[in-house]
Amino acid sequence: MYLLNAVLIVDDSVVNRRLLSDILVKDYYIIWAENGAEALKVLSKSGLKISAVVLDLIMPVMDGFEFMEELSKHSEYKDIPVIITTAQNDKESELKALKCGAWDFVSKPYQPEILKFRLKNAIERSELSAYKKLKYLSQFDELTDVYNKSKFVSDTTDLIKSEKFVNLALFRFDIDKFSLINTFFGYKEGDNLIRYCAEMIDKICRKRKIATYGRIRADVFAFCTSLESLSEIEEITNTINTELNKYNINFTLVPSVSVYIINDKDVPVNLMLDYAELATKTIKGNYMKLYAVYESWMYKESADRQTIINEMGKALSNNQFVVYYQPKYDVETFKISGAEALVRWIHPTKGIVSPAKFLPIFEESGFITKMDYYIWEQVCIDMRRWLDDGIDVKPISINVSRVDLFAHDLVETLCNLTNQYNIPRELLQLEITESVYVYDSQFIKKIVRKLHDKGFIILMDDFGSGFSSLNILKEIDIDVLKIDMKFFEKAGDEGKGKTIVTSVICMANGLNISTVAEGVEDEEQVSFLKSIGCDIIQGYYFSKAVPKDIYYQLIKENKIFQNVEQITEEKVNTWLTSPQMQMMFSTLPQPIALYHVSEETIKTLYVNGTYTSLFGNDSKVLTTNLPKQKNNDAYIFNFKDFFNDVIINKTGKDFKYIAVINKKQVSIKLRLIYLSRLGNNHLVLAIFYNSNDRKQITGKLRLKSGKISDNKNHNTVNTMLVVDNMQTNRMIIKKLFEDSYNVLEAENGLQALDILNSRCGDIDIILLDLMMPVMDGITFLNYKRQNSDYDDIPVIIITSSDSPDQQLKTMKLGASDYISKPFMPDVVKRRVNNFVKSRKKLNHVMKEYNTLVKKAQYDLLTGIYNRSTAQDIIIKALYVNSGQTNAFIMMDVDKFKHINDTYGHNIGDIVLRTVADTLKETFRSSDVIARFGGDEFCVLMQNITCESDVIKKCQEFREKLSGKSISTFDIHANMSIGYCIDNNNMMFESIYQQADKALYKSKRKGTSLITGYNSINSTEE
């Protein structure tokens, strides 16, 4: 490939060729041809290297017009700009050449600066010579030379959409514990294995009738092929396993193959890859099963989990987690003796999310610590308010998870909270699940002792749920034992359950430990627990968990417990017999219904006559289950969500839905009004209205849609500004372009500036005369150039002053093209249209070009240099900076595979981006920073004074990184680092190998070390 852009000069005159060569030789690689036929031969041999053609029109054998006609037949040459050399004022030839595809013209005799300026512009407006190389790099994986993920997805999409092949399947393949290859054998061996896998997949796919394949990332490959039968899946997997184990390495290589059977061709390929990865997770670590086929349940499970992960941080910020209090009742007095604080997730669209769905995920991710602290603080805030109100506040127990216990500042955190809100510590009781005690009993014993010393009461939660050990009660100082009432589950032997519970309570009483039975649901259980000496009861029999305001009323009233169903019935009768309700039901013309809403059901208590006449005796109007429809004025919702909405907000709200009345679908507007709480349940009034007329709404929508469409059509018209003091010229130009442009006129530069100021965003192109009164074209160009808002508006000069000096002057001021007066209308139209067309194409090309440059040079995930670009820059820097002292640093993320496996690749990507951002924050702008692949990064520090500078920078980087909390999981990344000091003008390969050795010395000795290598000694932090 030539270092300079190549220009093909086609002219039968030796003198002209030499003149042109002398002008251009410093900036371009020059190729000659004596006529069009010879030029075509040159192009056929080196067409992809030619950046532009400078073409004479009059030549023997094949003239310029014949050459352009032949050129137009070859699509591979369509983007090579052709610049015509012509005599001045040869308008007929100029028009003919434009029609044949000429890009621009230069007049004879040649003006060197104008020629170079026009040639440079033409080349920049064409596809750049580097474009095809960059396009190649954007499609192929640098390490393996197989397609990268982007190209694989594109080709596979085309294959699936082709309809030529059926029974297609997408295979995903990776190697279990691949990261250990890099750890034990080094990245070079890891790269060799990756290349071997690429060759293996290539060999397998070439033997099949049809296949697309590529490298997705790291050790992950994918291919799509057709299957005659499902038995081929096992055959392909066995082939992969056999070929993989032929690789010569002292390490057991185990493949994981997952398959997505393509039944729906509209599913995006990227999504298929995700589905296949979900299947992979089901077989990781199971060496008896090497492949898995994706099934829909895998996605649902993963999607539900990921949705919770995605939303949990926002939910905490938006106060969606709400404290509910489940009262605990004293067995002797049947009065409230306290409560357990429980979390409820009140989602803005889903209503209440079950804790069983989100708490396990919160614990696994570590997010539980943030949410727990939030709940603890809300409890302290509530208790402080109740104490300030003079209420006899009972103890509230809060849940402390295993993750909370192992947080190094738990005791300090709880003490700070109670101090901040001035809460007596005996009122904030701590529930620790029984299973926690088996993890590290000595550590838990130590924590419990510290908490006791600070005045907290400790409860052992869920005793008997699975890990019961009497030794725990002996070793750890427990104040209260909470007994799991699963012993009474009907599936078991109830007699044995009672015996066990009796024994536990007797034992607790003997140890002077109070007892709480939780999950109590009926009167029989209450009587039994009271008879055997249980102290406190918690469960649905007394109350479900309730919002804080309701719990506040309960402790304020301090009443003896009454059966909820009895309260409900009494209150309903009160509502129904009240004069206000009787008047409402009898006088309102709309259908009205009164509903009793529990957590499980919506029960109709009463309806008026209008309701009966409209709906009949159907009390299930609100449970009509219709398929969702595309309808402008009606929507199908979950009716339970309607009621949850008004109950949570204790307000009224309107909804729309579709009901079936006399076998017809009717659009209904429903107003729900919250009336009262009944124990754990609620009374809600419903009023039904007729919806608006559909035709009227549809008409309005259609009218609105039409207006929008008109606006869109208006906005697609380009606007041209013609600046010329001669009205005749403006009229000619307006007539030429009025079909495709909204033409604005200005008599001079000052008027033109006024139009620009008022309509800058609308102007697409300016045609400018130079000789005008008030403000001439040169002055206008100077003003335009000073305002960056006008930079993107091209200017084409139309003037009789066409001297070379004038042309050069206007082009330097930003003019894009130059047309001489008197002009031929067809020439003006053709040149303007050609310019606009080439400009649009240039914008598209440059956009794609910039994207390809970024893909080819930068790592798309982190935005820093990729391995290939960094290596080229570093090699050059080492050569240029010969004689200076440089340092090459290699580093990777500790336990990165664990992060991906535990939190998912999305979080892993955030970690990598955080590493890259921290590197940019820490190192100098002159240092070369790159992602070498996977979780590995490198830095070249140039012209350092001593080795301690490198160590200090590495320490600074590591401290900054470890101090950053990554994502809602509160992950803190650490890096192992190795570096090499170049004192001896080392080659890149040598400095890289030594830094790589230092890195793995760090990893072998333990994570988060900094190890240095130089030719004299080795240093280590």
Side-chain angles (χ1 to χ4, degrees):
M1 190 173 211
Y2 301 116
L3 295 175
L4 299 175
N5 284 323
V7 173
L8 173 59
I9 297 174
V10 189
D11 196 313
D12 62 320
S13 169
V14 175
V15 174
N16 285 341
R17 293 201 301 269
R18 291 196 179 278
L19 281 173
L20 289 170
S21 296
D22 290 342
I23 295 170
L24 302 175
V25 70
K26 290 183 179 180
D27 301 308
Y28 301 96
Y29 182 87
I30 305 301
I31 303 174
W32 286 349
E34 293 185 4
N35 54 61
E38 188 176 321
L40 288 173
K41 291 179 182 178
V42 172
L43 283 173
S44 66
K45 294 179 180 178
S46 58
L48 296 180
K49 299 175 184 177
I50 301 299
S51 298
V53 176
V54 178
L55 178 69
D56 187 27
L57 291 178
I58 310 302
M59 295 179 293
V61 184
M62 179 184 286
D63 64 21
F65 295 112
E66 293 171 324
F67 169 78
M68 285 190 289
E69 185 179 350
E70 190 64 31
L71 199 68
S72 66
K73 299 175 183 178
H74 297 267
S75 60
E76 65 269 29
Y77 305 146
K78 65 182 175 63
D79 295 314
I80 300 177
V82 178
I83 290 82
I84 303 297
T85 62
T86 181
Q88 290 184 355
N89 299 319
D90 188 0
K91 300 298 182 182
E92 294 294 340
S93 295
E94 183 177 335
L95 179 59
K96 185 178 178 181
L98 283 168
K99 290 180 178 179
C100 289
W103 283 53
D104 206 344
F105 299 83
V106 289
S107 299
K108 299 176 183 178
Y110 305 122
Q111 300 295 327
E113 293 302 318
I114 292 177
L115 171 61
K116 288 193 286 186
F117 195 92
R118 288 189 175 277
L119 182 59
K120 177 176 177 288
N121 279 351
I123 291 174
E124 288 179 351
R125 296 208 316 254
S126 68
E127 289 194 4
L128 306 181
S129 59
Y131 176 74
K132 286 184 170 59
K133 178 185 176 184
L134 290 169
K135 190 171 183 179
Y136 175 86
L137 291 175
S138 73
Q139 294 178 348
F140 285 82
D141 175 62
E142 177 190 358
L143 178 63
T144 63
D145 281 337
V146 300
Y147 282 146
N148 60 21
K149 180 181 178 181
S150 176
K151 181 61 174 172
F152 167 76
V153 169
S154 174
D155 281 10
T156 303
T157 300
D158 292 342
L159 172 65
I160 293 170
K161 297 292 185 183
S162 68
E163 304 291 344
K164 295 179 181 178
F165 303 99
V166 294
N167 302 325
L168 291 172
L170 184 143
F171 286 72
R172 180 190 182 279
F173 153 70
D174 67 13
I175 301 171
D176 280 5
K177 296 181 173 58
F178 174 78
S179 61
L180 294 179
I181 301 292
N182 288 331
T183 302
F184 294 153
F185 302 98
Y187 273 91
K188 189 171 184 179
E189 187 60 52
D191 288 350
N192 288 337
L193 178 56
I194 292 295
R195 281 189 283 266
Y196 177 84
C197 289
E199 293 169 2
M200 175 184 69
I201 297 298
D202 176 81
K203 191 192 315 182
I204 291 171
C205 290
R206 286 182 184 278
K207 292 180 180 179
R208 304 193 63 79
K209 292 180 180 178
I210 183 68
T212 59
Y213 58 96
R215 183 187 179 198
I216 306 305
R217 65 171 183 273
D219 63 317
V220 180
F221 292 84
F223 58 95
C224 181
T225 187
S226 59
L227 299 177
E228 296 295 331
S229 66
L230 294 179
S231 63
E232 285 187 75
I233 295 174
E234 187 167 356
E235 294 173 12
I236 292 171
T237 301
N238 290 336
T239 301
I240 291 174
N241 189 38
T242 301
E243 292 297 319
L244 189 61
N245 281 282
K246 290 180 182 178
Y247 187 77
N248 186 21
I249 191 173
N250 187 23
F251 189 92
T252 302
L253 298 175
V254 179
S256 291
V257 179
S258 53
V259 186
Y260 177 83
I261 306 298
I262 302 175
N263 295 317
D264 182 355
K265 295 193 173 188
D266 291 327
V267 175
V269 174
N270 274 316
L271 193 55
M272 295 180 187
L273 287 168
D274 290 342
Y275 289 154
E277 185 170 356
L278 291 177
T280 301
K281 292 179 179 179
T282 66
I283 57 171
K284 280 292 182 183
N286 182 1
Y287 298 151
M288 300 301 293
K289 188 174 182 182
L290 300 181
Y291 75 91
V293 179
Y294 169 79
E295 298 179 50
S296 58
W297 63 264
M298 299 174 184
Y299 171 75
K300 187 177 186 313
E301 185 178 275
S302 176
D304 291 346
R305 172 188 171 82
Q306 192 60 45
T307 298
I308 288 172
I309 290 172
N310 292 344
E311 295 182 347
M312 61 191 186
K314 183 179 179 182
L316 185 62
S317 301
N318 294 343
N319 302 318
Q320 293 175 19
F321 296 112
V322 178
V323 182
Y324 273 47
Y325 295 93
Q326 185 167 31
K328 301 174 184 178
Y329 281 80
D330 185 283
V331 172
E332 296 299 326
T333 65
F334 269 45
K335 286 188 174 183
I336 292 176
S337 64
E340 178 183 358
L342 299 169
V343 62
R344 294 292 182 263
W345 185 350
I346 312 298
H347 195 282
T349 59
K350 300 173 185 175
I352 296 178
V353 181
S354 169
K357 289 185 177 179
F358 65 82
L359 285 179
I361 296 172
F362 286 8
E363 284 209 21
E364 183 181 329
S365 66
F367 182 77
I368 191 76
T369 57
K370 290 187 176 182
M371 190 204 69
D372 279 349
Y373 181 85
Y374 175 82
I375 295 300
W376 300 343
E377 185 171 28
Q378 294 305 307
V379 170
C380 289
I381 292 171
D382 290 343
M383 293 177 76
R384 182 68 263 155
R385 181 169 66 86
W386 300 338
L387 287 166
D388 292 342
D389 288 348
I391 302 298
D392 181 16
V393 176
K394 307 297 182 182
I396 301 293
S397 62
I398 57 174
N399 288 281
V400 180
S401 73
R402 176 174 63 88
V403 182
D404 296 326
L405 279 168
F406 286 92
H408 66 278
D409 57 351
L410 174 65
V411 177
E412 182 183 357
T413 297
L414 290 168
C415 289
N416 288 342
L417 270 177
T418 52
N419 291 342
Q420 180 182 350
Y421 294 99
N422 194 20
I423 304 296
R425 287 178 185 162
E426 64 272 12
L427 291 182
L428 191 67
Q429 300 181 349
L430 311 177
E431 294 197 16
I432 303 173
T433 306
E434 175 205 40
S435 57
V436 169
Y437 295 92
V438 304
Y439 284 97
D440 189 337
S441 60
Q442 292 304 311
F443 175 78
I444 301 299
K445 182 179 179 180
K446 182 179 177 182
I447 290 291
V448 169
R449 186 185 302 117
K450 285 183 179 180
L451 291 168
H452 263 144
D453 292 343
K454 297 295 184 180
F456 292 100
I457 303 298
I458 309 298
L459 291 74
M460 178 184 285
D461 193 16
D462 291 338
F463 186 81
S465 62
F467 295 100
S468 301
S469 171
L470 299 181
N471 193 51
I472 293 174
L473 299 179
K474 179 173 73 74
E475 292 290 331
I476 299 177
D477 193 9
I478 301 298
D479 299 297
V480 180
L481 201 64
K482 293 192 75 173
I483 301 165
D484 190 337
M485 291 306 287
K486 289 180 181 178
F487 289 117
F488 286 93
E489 288 182 352
K490 303 299 182 183
D493 188 323
E494 193 172 347
K496 288 183 179 180
K498 288 184 176 181
T499 301
I500 294 171
V501 173
T502 301
S503 301
V504 170
I505 290 177
C506 288
M507 176 187 62
N509 289 338
L511 294 171
N512 200 29
I513 297 175
S514 298
T515 54
V516 177
E518 59 181 338
V520 178
E521 297 182 353
D522 56 49
E523 191 171 353
E524 182 183 349
Q525 291 177 348
V526 173
S527 299
F528 168 73
L529 290 166
K530 184 176 181 179
S531 70
I532 62 174
C534 182
D535 299 306
I536 297 171
I537 293 177
Q538 174 185 345
Y540 280 12
Y541 176 77
F542 289 102
S543 176
K544 298 177 182 180
V546 296
K548 63 181 179 182
D549 292 343
I550 295 174
Y551 179 72
Y552 173 81
Q553 286 300 124
L554 290 174
I555 59 174
K556 183 179 180 181
E557 295 170 0
N558 195 26
K559 292 181 178 180
I560 297 174
F561 170 76
Q562 285 182 280
N563 184 276
V564 174
E565 291 303 322
Q566 182 181 342
I567 297 173
T568 301
E569 186 177 346
E570 290 173 358
K571 215 158 192 181
V572 169
N573 288 333
T574 301
W575 273 101
L576 291 176
T577 57
S578 69
Q580 294 90 340
M581 291 298 293
Q582 289 296 316
M583 183 177 293
M584 181 183 293
F585 281 121
S586 61
T587 59
L588 280 179
Q590 291 88 4
I592 303 174
L594 182 65
Y595 293 98
H596 174 259
V597 185
S598 69
E599 195 165 300
E600 293 84 12
T601 62
I602 303 172
K603 182 180 178 182
T604 307
L605 296 178
Y606 186 86
V607 297
N608 67 357
T610 312
Y611 179 99
T612 305
S613 63
L614 180 64
F615 297 116
N617 294 319
D618 182 7
S619 63
K620 297 182 179 180
V621 171
L622 288 178
T623 59
T624 303
N625 185 18
L626 296 175
K628 190 164 186 178
Q629 301 177 25
K630 292 182 179 178
N631 200 307
N632 288 328
D633 64 335
Y635 305 89
I636 301 297
F637 289 100
N638 181 331
F639 287 103
K640 195 65 171 62
D641 291 344
F642 288 174
F643 285 92
N644 283 342
D645 198 343
V646 297
I647 288 169
I648 291 169
N649 296 295
K650 293 183 173 53
T651 185
K653 193 169 182 179
D654 293 339
F655 304 93
K656 290 181 181 179
Y657 78 103
I658 296 174
V660 175
I661 303 175
N662 298 324
K663 298 183 179 180
K664 293 183 179 179
Q665 295 182 12
V666 178
S667 178
I668 297 293
K669 178 181 171 184
L670 169 66
R671 173 169 294 170
L672 293 181
I673 303 171
Y674 183 82
L675 296 179
S676 175
R677 175 181 175 273
L678 301 173
N680 291 318
N681 306 320
H682 308 271
L683 276 181
V684 177
L685 183 70
I687 306 175
F688 299 83
Y689 298 88
N690 293 327
S691 292
N692 293 331
D693 181 72
R694 293 188 188 183
K695 291 182 181 179
Q696 184 180 358
I697 294 173
T698 305
K700 288 180 180 178
L701 288 173
R702 188 178 295 114
L703 180 62
K704 185 177 180 182
S705 174
K707 288 181 179 178
I708 292 172
S709 176
D710 289 343
N711 288 336
K712 285 184 177 180
N713 289 334
H714 174 74
N715 290 335
T716 60
V717 178
N718 291 322
T719 300
M720 173 185 289
L721 174 59
V722 181
V723 189
D724 196 313
N725 65 310
M726 298 293 293
Q727 184 179 12
T728 305
N729 290 337
R730 298 199 305 271
M731 288 179 61
I732 292 172
I733 294 172
K734 186 172 184 177
K735 187 69 175 175
L736 285 173
F737 294 105
E738 63 184 358
D739 291 340
S740 51
Y741 288 90
N742 175 29
V743 180
L744 305 178
E745 299 179 45
E747 294 182 6
N748 54 61
L750 190 60
Q751 285 186 9
L753 285 177
D754 288 340
I755 293 172
L756 278 182
N757 290 331
S758 62
R759 300 192 58 170
C760 175
D762 295 337
I763 308 299
D764 297 291
I765 190 169
I766 299 172
L767 269 60
L768 177 70
D769 187 23
L770 291 181
M771 307 300 294
M772 297 179 293
V774 185
M775 180 185 287
D776 62 20
I778 297 294
T779 308
F780 170 81
L781 284 174
N782 273 305
Y783 275 105
K784 176 181 177 293
R785 191 181 186 190
Q786 293 169 17
N787 193 327
S788 59
D789 292 339
Y790 308 152
D791 283 348
D792 292 334
I793 306 175
V795 177
I796 296 178
I797 304 298
I798 300 181
T799 184
S800 56
S801 177
D802 61 351
S803 68
D805 289 343
Q806 190 77 292
Q807 289 187 46
L808 188 59
K809 184 176 182 180
T810 56
M811 286 182 174
K812 286 182 177 180
L813 287 173
S816 302
D817 203 349
Y818 209 101
I819 302 175
S820 300
K821 291 181 180 178
F823 52 73
M824 294 176 61
D826 285 350
V827 171
V828 175
K829 188 169 185 178
R830 176 70 66 170
R831 292 195 71 152
V832 169
N833 288 341
N834 278 2
F835 173 81
V836 171
K837 183 179 178 181
S838 67
R839 182 177 172 83
K840 287 180 179 178
K841 182 176 181 181
L842 172 64
N843 290 336
H844 172 75
V845 168
M846 290 306 297
K847 184 177 179 181
E848 190 173 352
Y849 171 76
N850 290 331
T851 301
L852 294 175
V853 167
K854 192 170 184 180
K855 283 184 179 180
Q857 295 183 348
Y858 292 88
D859 176 61
L860 294 185
L861 176 64
T862 61
I864 60 179
Y865 286 130
N866 60 23
R867 180 172 182 163
S868 176
T869 306
Q871 186 167 321
D872 290 343
I873 293 172
I874 292 168
I875 289 171
K876 183 177 179 180
L878 292 175
Y879 176 77
V880 172
N881 297 335
S882 177
Q884 297 178 353
T885 301
N886 304 305
F888 185 69
I889 307 167
M890 296 288 296
M891 55 189 76
D892 67 13
V893 182
D894 295 334
K895 299 179 181 178
F896 183 68
K897 187 175 187 301
H898 171 75
I899 293 172
N900 274 336
D901 291 345
T902 304
Y903 305 105
H905 286 283
N906 287 340
I907 300 301
D909 288 349
I910 293 174
V911 170
L912 296 177
R913 284 194 289 266
T914 304
V915 170
D917 291 342
T918 310
L919 285 170
K920 289 187 285 186
E921 291 170 16
T922 306
F923 287 90
R924 305 168 302 178
S925 59
S926 59
D927 297 331
V928 181
I929 302 170
R931 181 185 176 199
F932 244 46
D935 64 320
E936 190 176 46
F937 295 80
C938 76
V939 178
L940 177 71
M941 292 185 67
Q942 304 180 66
N943 194 21
I944 61 172
T945 56
C946 60
E947 188 172 355
S948 62
D949 291 347
V950 181
I951 296 173
K952 286 179 183 178
K953 273 296 178 187
C954 291
Q955 289 172 335
E956 179 188 347
F957 160 71
R958 204 175 58 183
E959 288 168 5
K960 282 184 179 179
L961 182 65
S962 62
K964 292 183 177 181
S965 177
I966 299 172
S967 85
T968 54
F969 295 105
D970 199 24
I971 300 168
H972 294 267
N974 293 301
M975 305 285 282
S976 293
I977 301 174
Y979 65 87
C980 175
I981 304 297
D982 172 24
N983 293 316
N984 303 311
N985 299 329
M986 298 169 67
M987 299 295 288
F988 170 76
E989 192 65 29
S990 299
I991 197 172
Y992 164 63
Q993 287 176 0
Q994 303 302 350
D996 195 45
K997 287 179 182 178
L999 171 61
Y1000 283 99
K1001 188 174 181 181
S1002 289
K1003 296 188 76 67
R1004 284 195 299 272
K1005 287 181 172 289
T1007 58
S1008 303
L1009 291 178
I1010 301 173
T1011 303
Y1013 177 94
N1014 60 39
S1015 57
I1016 302 172
N1017 54 41
S1018 178
T1019 62
E1020 189 174 310
E1021 185 204 65

